[in-house]
Amino acid sequence: MARFGRVSTAMVTPFDFAGNIDFKKTSQLIEYLIANGTDSIVVGGTTGESPTLTFEEKAALFSHTVKEANGRIPVIAGTGSNDTRASVELTKKAEEAGADAVMLVAPYYNKPSQEGMYQHFKAIAASTKLPVMIYSVPGRTAVKMTAETIIRLSEISNIVAVKEASGDLELIAEVIENTSDDFDVYSGDDSLTLPVMAIGGTGIVSVASHVIGNEMQKMIEAYALGNVKEAGAIHRRILPVMNEMFAAPSPAPVKTALQLAGIDTGSVRLPLLPLSEAERTRLMGVMASLQKS
């Protein structure tokens, strides 16, 4: 199994009624995730509403998550941004907190060139002894890392994995084909977990695993054992849940799904909004259909 496992959960950040981080709820969520199919946790990433978390909040969240996980599963701290120097400083905080690795998103908004992205990731990786997972998500960053850039970055000793969320299976296949066997390629799209596994990927950095982590593990295990039809059947059964997690701006759907499962993580921070009644009703229907299937 890869160093971060096959199902890594991009964890939501629980908030209290005033919109502050609720560390008690965070502890409860971590325990729930560990018990329900999560091999590792990404904390302070996009699903954790990183754009609205301050530097200090992120540092506190890293420390708390590391302490709660207590070495049972790896903790990957989301320390990337579109500011290289700020990313270096936050990466140092994650290392001080005892994180097992960091995840670095491609720089957003300022739209660097491929060489600019390479130098950005290289500089941050050089500043830490921690393993690094790079994260390509062009739908959010407005820049798409090419296969060539990812392959170049994989040659840096502590850049050990990529979360690839472009949806481009040809690009992902090229990366897998041209990187070493110990470089892990994770799908960044829940719905592409099985297709990425089929072309040689490692697993998934997931949102849906908050509520279907065990089912996702069963799907991946079935595929790994050669039970392709069973894996495909599980994929088709849980696909509506995966899709519903992004039917409204994330993480509002998954926070609502957690609430329906009895895990309170509070609401989302502006500019995100809670689900409307219509959206909530639709989500409830999808979750109910899964339980019946």
Side-chain angles (χ1 to χ4, degrees), residues 165-228:
S166 69
D168 187 341
L169 289 173
E170 291 187 15
L171 182 151
I172 295 170
E174 185 177 348
V175 170
I176 294 168
E177 180 66 19
N178 292 284
T179 52
S180 65
D181 290 343
D182 60 357
F183 183 76
D184 294 322
V185 178
Y186 287 88
S187 173
D189 295 299
D190 280 305
S191 62
L192 292 183
T193 303
L194 192 56
V196 169
M197 294 289 293
I199 59 173
T202 304
I204 175 70
V205 179
S206 174
V207 175
S209 59
H210 282 89
V211 289
I212 52 170
N214 289 327
E215 289 84 353
M216 295 180 78
Q217 285 283 7
K218 289 176 184 176
M219 177 183 71
I220 292 172
E221 182 65 14
Y223 180 80
L225 293 173
N227 300 325
V228 177

Side-chain angles (χ1 to χ4, degrees), residues 263-286:
I263 308 297
D264 181 18
T265 58
S267 190
V268 290
R269 283 179 173 176
L270 284 170
L272 300 182
L273 295 172
L275 296 189
S276 67
E277 281 304 312
E279 290 167 337
R280 182 182 178 89
T281 299
R282 186 177 64 196
L283 173 62
M284 290 173 65
V286 171

Side-chain angles (χ1 to χ4, degrees), residues 6-260:
R6 297 186 294 200
V7 177
S8 182
T9 298
M11 189 177 74
V12 302
T13 301
F15 297 129
D16 61 21
F17 287 110
N20 299 311
I21 296 176
D22 190 317
F23 290 101
K24 182 178 179 180
K25 289 178 182 175
T26 302
S27 294
Q28 293 169 345
L29 176 60
I30 292 167
E31 294 303 317
Y32 170 81
L33 292 175
I34 290 174
N36 288 278
T38 291
D39 294 322
S40 60
I41 290 172
V42 176
V43 57
T46 311
T47 310
E49 297 180 68
S50 57
T52 64
L53 297 177
T54 66
F55 185 98
E56 291 75 19
E57 285 179 319
K58 289 176 184 177
L61 193 57
F62 297 161
S63 295
H64 182 84
T65 302
V66 168
K67 182 178 179 181
E68 186 64 34
N70 195 27
R72 290 175 292 170
I73 61 173
V75 174
I76 306 164
T79 61
S81 72
N82 61 350
D83 180 341
T84 306
R85 289 188 295 179
S87 299
V88 166
E89 289 305 309
L90 190 56
T91 297
K92 289 178 180 178
K93 285 292 184 182
E95 191 165 354
E96 290 170 10
D100 297 285
V102 295
M103 186 172 75
L104 307 176
V105 69
Y108 42 86
Y109 191 75
N110 41 17
K111 299 178 73 173
S113 65
Q114 294 297 314
E115 184 63 25
M117 284 188 278
Y118 176 82
Q119 294 297 337
H120 169 82
F121 289 121
K122 181 181 178 181
I124 303 168
S127 75
T128 183
K129 296 178 181 178
L130 291 177
V132 172
M133 177 187 291
I134 56 177
Y135 177 22
S136 177
V137 56
R140 290 185 180 273
T141 62
V143 287
K144 182 177 180 179
M145 295 173 64
T146 63
E148 180 184 8
T149 298
I150 297 171
I151 293 163
R152 283 181 70 200
L153 286 164
S154 76
E155 296 167 358
I156 296 172
S157 61
N158 63 327
I159 296 183
V160 300
V162 62
K163 175 185 177 183
E164 222 298 328
S166 69
D168 187 341
L169 289 173
E170 291 187 15
L171 182 151
I172 295 170
E174 185 177 348
V175 170
I176 294 168
E177 180 66 19
N178 292 284
T179 52
S180 65
D181 290 343
D182 60 357
F183 183 76
D184 294 322
V185 178
Y186 287 88
S187 173
D189 295 299
D190 280 305
S191 62
L192 292 183
T193 303
L194 192 56
V196 169
M197 294 289 293
I199 59 173
T202 304
I204 175 70
V205 179
S206 174
V207 175
S209 59
H210 282 89
V211 289
I212 52 170
N214 289 327
E215 289 84 353
M216 295 180 78
Q217 285 283 7
K218 289 176 184 176
M219 177 183 71
I220 292 172
E221 182 65 14
Y223 180 80
L225 293 173
N227 300 325
V228 177
K229 287 187 177 181
E230 180 186 352
I234 297 171
H235 167 82
R236 294 189 300 273
R237 184 167 65 87
I238 63 179
L239 184 60
V241 176
M242 294 175 174
N243 290 337
E244 196 62 29
M245 292 305 100
F246 299 94
S250 182
V254 72
K255 280 193 164 184
T256 304
L258 282 165
Q259 183 187 53
L260 295 172

